[in-house]
Amino acid sequence: MQITVNNVVISVSEGDITAWQGEMIVNASNSGLYGGGGVDGAIHRAGGPRIAEECAVIRQKQGGILPGQAAVTTAGLLPFRGIIHTVGPIWKGGTAGETAILSQCYSSSLSLACSYGARSVAFPNISTGIFNFPKELACKTALDSVVTYVRERTSAELPLQRIEFICFEHDNAILYEAMLNDYI
Ligand code: AR6
């Protein structure tokens, strides 16, 4: 399933983001950039210790990153140009600005990808695992944020040609396919 917005192909697939083929992938990390479980664990395991070493440097320099922000490290042993680490909100019932923070995760990650001149980037379903963000709202927020970001930029500002949502869980893949269809 895919749509094209402003010459950027936005698509959905089901699988493991570490096996994706493209230039940069986004990680759903934590504010300290300490390798954890879920997709973060999978990326650190597959990419090896270089990623954690660079996370430690970011931590020393700037004390980690706030929810909604993003930072780039090497991809280590993984065949990407870099990993964009972002920190999603922990779901606290919806009254703590969680949706706006999740939206910022997508826009700050895309801004970093563009600043690196990336032509393709893949996102996991940020915050919908250990951080417990409701899946349907997370999907709508992810798609709205990415489509709005792409729509609002000129082609000179957008090296990106391809943005892919990688759903590890089948129910997320079904949700994304259905909601992406609504943007056609
Ligand atoms: N590829 C793609 N998506 C995956 C993979 C994978 N290999 N493995 C899991 N997912 P989570 P969060 C999906 O929990 O909720 C960590 O400990 C998963 O099914 O990874 O943002 C960090 O260090 C779910 O749909 O991230 C933080 O402390 C999605 O990735 C905390 O978890 C996000 O689930 C972040 O929690």
Side-chain angles (χ1 to χ4, degrees):
M1 173 72 207
Q2 64 180 50
I3 62 169
T4 302
V5 180
N6 211 358
N7 293 320
V8 180
V9 174
I10 301 174
S11 60
V12 174
S13 65
E14 194 172 335
D16 176 353
I17 203 164
T18 63
W20 183 68
Q21 295 193 341
E23 293 193 356
M24 295 183 95
I25 61 169
V26 177
N27 181 23
S29 189
N30 51 71
S31 284
L33 297 172
Y34 294 103
V39 67
D40 191 19
I43 289 171
H44 279 272
R45 271 194 305 279
R50 281 279 314 280
I51 300 177
E53 284 162 22
E54 287 194 17
C55 286
V57 172
I58 297 168
R59 201 159 52 236
Q60 278 152 18
K61 263 196 209 150
Q62 60 188 71
I65 56 176
L66 292 171
Q69 295 181 342
V72 173
T73 67
T74 175
L77 302 169
L78 283 166
F80 304 113
R81 283 181 56 197
I83 309 287
I84 301 170
H85 302 264
T86 189
V87 183
I90 298 171
W91 183 256
K92 292 176 180 153
T95 53
E98 295 96 320
T99 304
I101 295 167
L102 185 62
S103 179
Q104 278 170 27
C105 289
Y106 288 93
S107 54
S108 49
S109 298
L110 288 174
S111 291
L112 268 183
C114 288
S115 73
Y116 278 75
R119 284 165 298 179
S120 57
V121 65
F123 283 98
N125 306 139
I126 302 163
S127 279
T128 64
I130 296 159
F131 284 178
N132 219 17
F133 200 107
K135 289 179 179 174
E136 199 167 328
L137 181 58
C139 173
K140 188 178 167 6
T141 305
L143 291 176
D144 274 348
S145 311
V146 167
V147 168
T148 303
Y149 186 95
V150 169
R151 265 196 197 129
E152 285 177 350
R153 271 153 190 91
T154 64
S155 45
E157 295 169 319
L158 263 186
L160 285 166
Q161 297 166 359
R162 185 160 67 95
I163 300 170
E164 190 156 346
F165 294 98
I166 311 293
C167 302
F168 195 64
E169 295 166 31
H170 184 63
D171 56 349
N172 266 328
I174 302 283
L175 259 179
Y176 271 76
E177 296 257 344
M179 283 205 201
L180 196 59
N181 207 34
D182 294 341
Y183 286 86
I184 293 174

